[in-house]
Amino acid sequence: MTLSEMRRWMTEHDLRLTKSLGQNFLHDGNQLRRIVQAAELDPPGPVLEIGPGLGPLTELLLAARCPVMAIEMDQRLVTILRQRFVDHPGLNLIQGDALEVLRNSETDWTGYKVVANLPYSVGSPLLVDMALRPTAPSLIVVTLQLEVAQRIRAKESTPEYGLLSLLLGWRYAAESTFRIPASCFFPPPDVDSACIRLRRRPVPLVEGEQIDRFLQIVRQAFSQRRKMMWKLLRTIWTEETLAPAFAAAGIAREARAEAVGLEQFVVLAHQLPANSSTSIPENNPVIN
Ligand code: SAM
C-alpha cells in the first residue's frame, strides 16, 4: 500500500487521524517487507495483528496466505478495512480495544504469531499481558518506540534495564531489532521506532506458582530503583529466608535491582517461599 493509496482512502472517507490512537501508518514497502520477513511466515500460520489501521501490513500477511485475526479500535478504519478486504476468507476483523478483547478472549494463542505495528500507547501492557497468558503466542514481531524496544532487550546494569525487560524476559527471548525511520510513517511520529522480534522460550524460566512469586519479587525490587533490593524484599520475607536465597543467586545485600540479572531473579523465585500476606495486582501496571 503506497502513501498515495493511503491518502486516497483517507480522502474518500474524509478520515482525520486521531493522535491519541497512535495513528501513524507505515507506508514504506521495504520496511513492511522486512517486518513480514522477520515473522518467518513460511509455512503460513495464524497471525494476530493488533491495530491494522488502513491495512498495509494486513495485505502482506494475507498475501503470505496466513489466516489473520485483526483487532482495530477505530470503527472508521474497520469500515475501510471491510471495503478493502471485502469478503476475504482469510481475514477475521474485530472492532474493539485489543487490551480488552485479549483479556476477555479464551483463544489458545500457542500456534499464533503476533505481527503488528502497535499503537504505542498500549504496546508494553499488551506485550506483558501476552507473555502472562498460559497460551502465549510463539513469536511476536512488533514495531514500537525505539526506546521501548531498547528497554525490552536491555541487560542488567544498563540505564534501559528494568521491569519491562524482566516481565517479558522470563517467557520470551528478545532477538533481532531494526530501526524504522520516522519518515516511513504517515504522519511521521515524534519518536524513532524499531521492530523487535520476541521468541517464546521452549520452557519458561519460571512456571506454575513461581510465576506469581517472580512478578512479586521484580515489582517489589523495582518499586524504588535507588534502594537496596535486600531492604525492599525484607518487607515481604524474613532475613533468615532471604539470606540463603540471595546467596544461591549470587546477589550482594547492597545490590540494587538494576544490577541484578534475569537469571538471578529466577533463582530468587525458585528459592523464596510463597508469602500469602502480600497480594499481587491482577492486571499489569502501566509500564510505558
Ligand atoms: N498497522 C497499521 C500500519 O502499520 O500502518 C497502523 C498502525 S498505527 C501505529 C496503530 C493502529 O492501532 C491504529 O490504526 C489505531 O487506530 C489502532 N489502535 C489504537 N489503539 C488501539 C487499541 N487499544 N486496540 C486496537 N487498535 C488500536
Side-chain angles (χ1 to χ4, degrees), residues 76-91:
R76 302 168 307 164
L77 291 168
V78 170
T79 304
I80 296 179
L81 289 164
R82 291 209 196 284
Q83 274 186 37
R84 276 201 74 201
F85 301 103
V86 64
D87 293 336
H88 197 300
L91 179 62

Side-chain angles (χ1 to χ4, degrees), residues 38 40 127 131 136-142 149 152-155 164-177 196-205 262-263:
E40 302 170 351
L127 292 176
S138 61
L139 197 75
I140 299 180
V141 176
V142 284
I152 293 173
R153 292 197 74 182
K155 297 283 177 240
L164 188 57
S165 335
L166 293 159
L167 293 180
L168 294 177
W170 68 275
R171 197 75 196 265
Y172 284 94
E175 297 184 345
S176 55
T177 35
I196 186 166
R197 179 165 64 195
L198 304 171
R199 196 177 298 276
R200 191 182 63 213
R201 295 181 187 280
V203 180
L205 299 182
L262 169 64
E263 287 73 16

Side-chain angles (χ1 to χ4, degrees), residues 11-226:
T11 311
E12 274 174 19
H13 287 261
D14 195 20
L15 181 74
R16 269 147 235 257
L17 298 179
T18 309
K19 203 170 176 186
S20 61
L21 288 179
Q23 292 180 340
N24 303 94
F25 299 141
L26 186 54
H27 58 77
D28 184 289
N30 287 332
Q31 302 293 350
L32 286 160
R33 279 188 291 275
R34 283 179 86 186
I35 295 171
V36 172
Q37 213 168 28
E40 302 170 351
L41 299 176
D42 188 14
V47 169
L48 170 65
E49 186 186 2
I50 293 159
L54 290 165
L57 195 51
T58 322
E59 73 182 354
L60 296 188
L61 297 170
L62 291 171
R65 291 180 291 115
C66 295
V68 178
M69 181 190 290
I71 309 173
E72 172 57 60
M73 184 145 157
D74 190 332
Q75 180 58 55
R76 302 168 307 164
L77 291 168
V78 170
T79 304
I80 296 179
L81 289 164
R82 291 209 196 284
Q83 274 186 37
R84 276 201 74 201
F85 301 103
V86 64
D87 293 336
H88 197 300
L91 179 62
N92 174 12
L93 184 58
I94 297 166
Q95 192 274 319
D97 176 349
L99 266 174
E100 290 297 315
V101 174
L102 294 176
R103 279 178 186 163
N104 296 323
S105 131
E106 287 179 6
T107 303
D108 180 342
W109 301 105
T110 319
Y112 274 77
K113 292 177 177 173
V114 176
V115 187
N117 172 15
L118 286 180
Y120 292 169
S121 57
V122 290
S124 309
L126 266 168
L127 292 176
V128 173
D129 259 26
M130 273 190 277
L132 280 170
R133 301 205 138 246
T135 66
S138 61
L139 197 75
I140 299 180
V141 176
V142 284
T143 304
L144 298 153
Q145 292 115 298
L146 175 64
E147 179 239 320
V148 176
Q150 286 167 337
R151 284 202 271 140
I152 293 173
R153 292 197 74 182
K155 297 283 177 240
E156 65 273 23
S157 305
T158 62
E160 293 83 14
Y161 182 67
L163 258 189
L164 188 57
S165 335
L166 293 159
L167 293 180
L168 294 177
W170 68 275
R171 197 75 196 265
Y172 284 94
E175 297 184 345
S176 55
T177 35
F178 57 87
R179 272 176 107 112
I180 305 187
S183 58
C184 297
F185 297 86
F186 178 81
D190 301 330
V191 291
D192 282 332
S193 304
C195 177
I196 186 166
R197 179 165 64 195
L198 304 171
R199 196 177 298 276
R200 191 182 63 213
R201 295 181 187 280
V203 180
L205 299 182
V206 280
E207 291 185 271
E209 54 149 31
Q210 286 165 359
I211 298 173
D212 282 351
R213 194 128 60 258
F214 176 81
L215 299 178
Q216 186 180 24
I217 294 167
V218 298
R219 285 184 175 135
Q220 180 68 7
F222 279 93
S223 59
Q224 296 176 64
R225 256 184 112 95
R226 299 265 130 225

Side-chain angles (χ1 to χ4, degrees), residues 229-231 233-234 237-253 267-268 271-273:
M229 193 168 115
W230 172 273
K231 287 194 174 158
L233 296 188
R234 272 284 289 110
W237 286 279
T238 62
E239 192 158 337
E240 294 71 41
T241 321
L242 279 181
F246 267 56
I251 305 170
R253 285 193 187 198
V267 173
L268 285 186
Q271 296 277 327
L272 290 172

